[in-house]
């Protein structure tokens, strides 16, 4: 068997890169990744938690790849073993977290908008999701709020207020979807996982959402990576074959 290329890792996004969006990996792609693993170190990095990544890539995912980074690397696994975890609660501490949540709820309480439902602040391990209307609203109410927000800039005005109040916490605010925005520490995008890859001088990243605003953008643009934009799992396989496997064939 050919020796692995030293100092090089191929790192993959999940959705749209190794699998069709929100679908399960194909047996063909699983077999290809095992062939690729013979010649390069391989890893995956996804925004989802380990449960969701396992649903897409298989229950043996932590043993099928050398590195698995769930939640952008907040949960880091190397050679099947957990090597690091981080959470918003650990990072900010209860006092700062409570101050942020209290201010946010007071702000929403004073907000005059046509409809309010429930679940205005949703706490996740790596972020806080804030919804001025509340996540319990119906789809019809979502649609109405989205239209209202486009005219009255409810979310962007709220983000400006939170940025001013909590600038010292170094938080990123990302407005997405119809009714909410995410709040997380600066740098907790996919580049977070790179802290575990100091042993590699060449990090090839493959992802489909590499445009500005896409969740692969920061790691794709990072000076530490060689970024590759892919359009599908089939394209991923084709690009990796040209980059890594044809060299082995040519050299054997």
């Amino acid at each position: 068997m050919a020796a692995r290329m030293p100092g090089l890792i191929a790192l993959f996004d999940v959705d749209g890169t190794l699998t069709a969006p929100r679908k399960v990996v194909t047996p063909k792609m699983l077999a290809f990744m095992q062939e690729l693993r013979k010649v390069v170190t391989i890893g995956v990095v996804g925004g989802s938690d380990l449960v969701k990544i396992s649903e897409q890539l298989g229950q043996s995912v932590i043993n099928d790849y050398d590195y698995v980074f769930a939640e952008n690397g907040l949960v880091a696994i190397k050679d099947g073993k957990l090597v690091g975890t981080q959470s918003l609660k650990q990072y900010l501490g209860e006092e700062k977290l409570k101050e942020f949540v209290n201010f946010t709820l007071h702000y929403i309480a004073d907000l005059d908008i046509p409809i309010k439902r429930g679940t205005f602040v949703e706490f996740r391990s790596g972020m806080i999701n804030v919804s001025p209307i509340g996540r319990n609203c119906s789809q019809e109410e979502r649609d109405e709020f989205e239209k209202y927000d486009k005219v009255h800039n409810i979310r962007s005005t709220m983000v400006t207020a939170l940025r001013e109040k909590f600038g010292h916490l170094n938080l990123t605010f990302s407005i997405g979807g119809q009714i909410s925005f995410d709040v997380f520490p600066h740098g907790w995008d996919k580049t977070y996982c790179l802290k575990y890859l100091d042993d590699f001088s060449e990090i090839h990243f493959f992802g489909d959402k590499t445009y500005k605003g896409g969740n692969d953008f920061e790691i794709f643009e990072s000076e530490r990576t060689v970024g590759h934009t892919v359009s599908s799992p089939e394209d991923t396989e084709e690009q990796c074959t040209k980059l890594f496997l044809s060299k082995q064939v040519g050299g054997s």
Side-chain angles (χ1 to χ4, degrees):
M1 189 177 81
R4 285 220 227 178
M5 299 176 195
L8 186 151
I9 182 170
L11 194 58
F12 300 90
D13 163 54
V14 181
D15 246 16
T17 301
L18 295 180
T19 74
R22 297 192 176 94
K23 297 285 197 281
V24 175
V25 70
T26 64
K28 184 172 180 281
M29 178 54 93
L30 275 177
F32 175 77
M33 293 309 289
Q34 290 315 300
E35 283 305 305
L36 185 63
R37 193 180 184 186
K38 292 174 184 174
V39 296
V40 294
T41 302
I42 62 173
V44 293
V45 54
S48 299
D49 60 26
L50 190 57
V51 172
K52 288 195 180 77
I53 289 175
S54 300
E55 285 170 1
Q56 285 186 271
L57 296 182
Q59 295 304 313
S60 60
V61 62
I62 64 170
N63 298 309
D64 293 338
Y65 296 83
D66 301 291
Y67 290 85
V68 175
F69 299 113
E71 298 176 59
N72 292 347
L74 297 183
V75 175
I77 294 160
K78 178 186 178 184
D79 299 328
K81 295 182 179 66
L82 186 69
V83 291
T85 59
Q86 176 63 286
S87 72
L88 196 58
K89 192 165 68 175
Q90 279 175 280
Y91 178 81
L92 287 178
E94 290 294 358
E95 279 307 309
K96 287 175 183 170
L97 205 49
K98 188 171 69 175
E99 186 190 353
F100 181 88
V101 171
N102 285 349
F103 181 88
T104 301
L105 291 173
H106 276 292
Y107 184 101
I108 291 171
D110 294 335
L111 202 55
D112 185 18
I113 55 176
I115 293 173
K116 289 182 188 174
R117 292 298 179 248
T119 313
F120 302 103
V121 175
E122 185 173 88
F123 183 78
R124 301 171 186 173
S125 59
M127 69 172 69
I128 293 171
N129 180 266
V130 178
S131 174
I133 184 177
R135 297 192 64 82
N136 290 358
C137 60
S138 68
Q139 186 57 54
E140 187 183 352
E141 289 162 348
R142 277 174 173 259
D143 297 340
E144 286 303 313
F145 176 81
E146 185 179 26
K147 288 177 198 163
Y148 187 86
D149 189 44
K150 278 178 180 163
V151 176
H152 296 92
N153 299 308
I154 301 300
R155 287 184 291 174
S156 58
T157 304
M158 187 172 179
V159 162
T160 300
L162 288 169
R163 275 204 182 105
E164 285 174 10
K165 174 73 177 172
F166 297 102
H168 59 292
L169 296 184
N170 201 21
L171 298 170
T172 295
F173 296 83
S174 176
I175 297 174
Q178 295 179 290
I179 60 164
S180 66
F181 57 89
D182 293 329
V183 186
F184 52 90
H186 182 65
W188 282 27
D189 49 60
K190 285 182 181 170
T191 58
Y192 188 88
C193 77
L194 298 177
K195 66 188 280 188
Y196 293 103
L197 302 178
D198 287 343
D199 291 344
F200 297 93
S201 55
E202 202 174 328
I203 302 168
H204 287 263
F205 172 76
F206 298 83
D208 65 319
K209 293 183 177 65
T210 56
Y211 48 83
K212 190 167 179 60
N215 62 7
D216 297 324
F217 176 74
E218 290 85 1
I219 192 168
F220 176 81
E221 286 283 303
S222 169
E223 58 187 23
R224 288 198 56 203
T225 66
V226 180
H228 306 272
T229 303
V230 300
S231 57
S232 65
E234 292 74 23
D235 188 31
T236 302
E237 188 176 330
E238 191 177 317
Q239 289 195 39
C240 286
T241 300
K242 282 180 186 165
L243 272 168
F244 307 122
L245 297 175
S246 59
K247 290 178 185 175
Q248 296 294 319
V249 173
S252 58

